[in-house]
């Protein structure tokens, strides 16, 4: 097991995006600052998508200008296309990392961004050098990397081919998303072992969903293969759960709890993270479903029983 | 990874026991038969506890005499003490396996059965030969094997010492329970690697809870260590969740789904198991929380998206 991993908290983008009720900009800013205070050094906080597509994220500029986080916290924005990148770059001093994305499966890509994979890839290959040229870090995510709800099996060779092209285009980090929670630990170990051989010297990030309860098992499988970069969402927010009511992203508090218990340092203070998760639960006005939020952290002092009784 | 594992379905005992509303005996029998039809060859179906302590299980004898399952299905009963064993043995033709138990931690054992660990162990050492003498299989479970909510850390050496004593007393199978979901995958791998060295030639069974979302990750860790026997509960029923509302036992449908996806045969038909889980959900009249029950199985044909849309 590695001594330390990086966890990127994606709730303020991937989580909030799924919320039907408007979250006030000030609350977004406060929660992002809570998450930075909990110890996350990587936060995905905004998206430059068209506001008629995702109105919830139309305050990206206000959020980016409003947050006050320590200098070593890397803020990331998502851009869906070259137009979004153009707008984002007008505010390039407010963030550090841009994530661009493509689906490994043709049908998912068309349903998600209304164009073929080849067209998305070509655009990403144009965008990556622009992002790097602006002095920013460039991440790319391959969605449906472990299976597609529309096409079923996704060939790992196709995923790695896309990833190699994005690495050649200059990306600093490549993420692989189990977009609808189809991955299993054997598949994950095998995939990341091959990915680490194929893509040496580039950071590989695992993004799992807990749709079928296997999210943390997949995270351990990725760790076993040598992955040390993960993404998760506080309060188990987001991840476009399919069907509605299912689980989407793995919960940051569940991932942090497990890793710290395993002796793998995350840099995140679990109590402070739970404070942020409780704050967003209060704000959203519904019970959130992450396990550690409900059950509390493991207490090896024997005090857990008193606390919960 | 092993080609095949054994899963014991414990819902009809460990799950039903936690239900406040009376479940009619006929419904219990029907659900047990559904579970046998799904492919489980090991079912824990009854308990010989005092009916004033757990009224829900006071129909153990009617259940045992009423169920009609294939000849290769092994039915197990739980007995808490010598008095319970005496009553159970009056019906010895109706089941195949008796499980006896002790907690590894002093405080949990006292709170659970109102006696010190040494007294429980001495009773179990008397009961095992009686069970074997009656021509029955004898299993013993060590509870709080990975941590105790009252005492915190539980020394693995103490757990293995208890297990060795129970093996010497004649037990055929030793189970280790993560009674309040404190275990993590590193701990589980290390524990079972040592247990398999210490206790050669005896079946070792892993019983995990999903209290902090790590249940399936712990199951994979146990598999990695060489464990091929697991327990779980359909519909994610039971497991005395602490605090109330938290998750208890890992769900059979989540475990079966993950293992089958990993290429590890369970002998269980997932669709038939989901049928049983939906049946108990209807009977109990509340939404159950297992992931695969909510999200449906992984569909590699690409039909999943159609089904859920």
């Amino acid at each position: 097991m590695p001594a330390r991993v990086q966890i990127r908290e994606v709730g303020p983008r991937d989580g909030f995006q799924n919320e039907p009720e408007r979250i006030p900009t000030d609350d977004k800013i406060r929660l992002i600052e809570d998450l930075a205070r909990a110890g996350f050094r990587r936060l995905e906080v905004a998206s430059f998508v068209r506001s008629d597509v995702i109105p919830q994220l139309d305050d990206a500029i206000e959020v980016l200008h409003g947050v006050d986080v320590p200098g070593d916290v890397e803020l990331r924005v998502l851009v869906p296309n070259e137009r979004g990148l153009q707008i984002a770059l007008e505010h390039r001093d407010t963030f550090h990392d841009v994530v661009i994305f493509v689906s490994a499966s043709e049908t998912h890509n068309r349903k998600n961004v209304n164009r073929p994979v080849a067209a998305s890839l070509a655009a990403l290959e144009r965008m990556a050098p622009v992002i790097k040229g602006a002095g920013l870090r460039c991440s790319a995510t391959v969605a449906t990397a472990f299976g597609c709800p529309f096409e079923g099996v996704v060939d790992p060779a196709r995923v790695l081919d896309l990833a190699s092209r994005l690495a050649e285009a200059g990306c600093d980090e490549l993420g692989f998303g189990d977009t609808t929670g189809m991955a299993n630990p054997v598949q994950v170990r095998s995939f990341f072992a091959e990915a680490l051989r194929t893509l040496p010297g580039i950071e590989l990030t695992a993004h799992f969903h807990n749709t079928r309860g296997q999210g943390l098992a997949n995270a351990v499988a990725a760790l076993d293969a040598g992955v040390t970069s993960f993404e998760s969402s506080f309060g188990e927010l987001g991840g476009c759960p399919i069907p509605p009511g299912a689980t989407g992203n793995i919960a940051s508090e569940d991932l942090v709890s497990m890793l710290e218990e395993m002796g793998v340092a995350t840099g995140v203070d679990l109590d402070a993270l739970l404070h942020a998760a409780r704050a967003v639960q209060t704000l959203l006005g519904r019970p959130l479903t992450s396990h550690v939020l409900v059950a509390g952290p493991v207490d090896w002092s024997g005090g857990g029983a008193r606390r919960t009784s």
Side-chain angles (χ1 to χ4, degrees), chain A:
Chain A
M1 288 292 154
R4 160 171 291 276
V5 297
Q6 283 279 356
I7 302 177
R8 179 179 289 109
E9 168 59 54
V10 300
R13 197 282 302 170
D14 189 348
F16 292 173
Q17 166 176 330
N18 278 273
E19 292 301 323
E21 296 294 323
R22 181 77 195 185
I23 302 173
T25 305
D26 284 351
D27 287 318
K28 291 179 180 172
I29 290 170
R30 177 174 54 87
L31 288 164
I32 291 166
E33 291 172 356
D34 281 349
L35 291 164
R37 209 169 291 122
F40 289 106
R41 287 298 166 266
R42 291 175 161 186
L43 292 163
E44 189 168 305
V45 297
S47 174
F48 285 89
V49 289
R50 270 169 39 204
S51 60
D52 58 327
V53 178
I54 306 180
Q56 179 68 268
L57 300 184
D58 67 3
D59 55 358
I61 293 163
E62 290 81 358
V63 167
L64 286 166
H65 283 275
V67 290
D68 179 16
V69 295
D72 61 343
V73 174
E74 179 195 283
L75 299 180
R76 179 200 252 189
V77 302
L78 178 140
V79 303
N81 51 37
E82 290 167 291
R83 175 75 190 125
L85 177 58
Q86 204 173 11
I87 300 167
L89 290 181
E90 293 166 16
H91 306 273
R92 76 183 71 178
D93 294 341
T94 59
F95 55 87
H96 314 84
D97 183 33
V98 179
V99 61
I100 54 183
F101 60 93
V102 61
S103 298
S105 79
E106 204 58 61
T107 315
H108 191 271
N109 202 66
R110 284 174 193 266
K111 287 186 184 266
N112 201 28
V113 295
N114 199 29
R115 60 206 304 195
V117 169
S120 283
L121 178 62
L124 267 48
E125 289 178 319
R126 290 190 299 271
M127 291 157 78
V130 175
I131 293 164
K132 296 297 295 175
L136 294 164
R137 196 163 182 277
C138 180
S139 301
T141 289
V142 181
T144 63
F146 301 92
C148 170
F150 308 110
E151 297 185 9
V153 175
V154 171
D155 183 357
R158 180 181 168 89
V159 178
L160 292 176
D161 184 54
L162 278 172
S164 296
R165 295 276 296 270
L166 293 164
E168 282 162 25
C171 293
D172 303 287
E173 179 182 338
L174 294 168
F176 298 93
D178 182 24
T179 308
T180 58
M182 297 172 75
N184 68 71
V186 165
Q187 178 190 13
V188 166
R189 274 186 211 174
S190 160
F191 175 81
F192 275 111
E194 180 66 19
L196 286 158
R197 275 192 296 272
T198 310
L199 300 156
I202 188 161
E203 183 167 13
L204 303 187
T205 297
H207 180 116
F208 294 118
H209 284 205
N210 202 30
T211 318
R212 291 171 181 89
Q214 306 178 23
L216 294 187
N218 286 335
V220 176
L223 265 181
D224 283 339
V227 171
T228 57
S229 173
F230 294 88
E231 291 180 346
S232 58
S233 182
F234 75 135
E236 210 173 58
L237 299 178
C240 300
I242 295 174
T247 306
N249 291 310
I250 55 172
S252 298
E253 48 272 32
D254 291 355
L255 179 63
V256 167
S257 172
M258 181 182 75
L259 291 171
E260 294 283 340
E261 290 292 320
M262 291 167 64
V264 177
T266 64
V268 178
D269 180 293
L270 183 56
D271 287 331
L273 168 56
L274 287 169
H275 171 82
R278 278 190 294 268
V280 78
Q281 180 171 246
T282 302
L283 182 70
L284 298 175
R286 66 169 197 275
L288 298 178
T289 47
S290 80
H291 287 83
V292 177
L293 189 62
V294 175
V298 181
D299 186 341
W300 292 108
S301 74
R306 285 194 298 279
R307 195 185 50 72
T308 59
S309 65

